[in-house]
Amino acid sequence: ALNFLKKYWNLKDTDVLASGDQDNDIEMLKQAYYRVCVGNNSKELKKVANYCAESVNSDELVDIAEGLI
């Protein structure tokens, strides 16, 4: 789905931030330039992510995104 949206909106990888909290999000994160894992996640997801947020219930993800813009 992320690749479809990138093509549809003509986005470069560097235009995309993706976040996930489980291993099923690994493939999605690989399609984004900014890859954020959130919450209590696995070692495999952390290997793919280039940023980590402590909790999905905090503003930390927003802070990370704002820092990248």
Side-chain angles (χ1 to χ4, degrees):
L2 185 54
N3 279 333
F4 171 82
L5 293 173
K6 285 179 2 184
K7 289 178 185 176
Y8 185 80
W9 288 321
N10 197 30
L11 298 172
K12 300 176 285 195
D13 287 344
T14 55
D15 295 329
V16 179
L17 181 148
S19 66
D21 64 347
Q22 299 294 323
D23 284 351
N24 65 314
D25 297 319
I26 289 173
E27 290 304 315
M28 175 184 62
L29 265 64
K30 287 181 178 179
Q31 304 308 314
Y33 185 79
Y34 302 104
R35 303 175 302 275
V36 183
C37 62
V38 294
N40 186 17
N41 40 62
S42 72
K43 290 180 183 179
E44 292 302 314
L45 188 64
K46 286 182 181 180
K47 288 180 187 176
V48 174
N50 47 19
Y51 301 93
C52 289
E54 292 293 319
S55 170
V56 296
N57 297 320
S58 71
D59 291 335
E60 192 173 3
L61 179 59
V62 174
D63 293 338
I64 290 171
E66 287 178 343
L68 299 173
I69 296 174

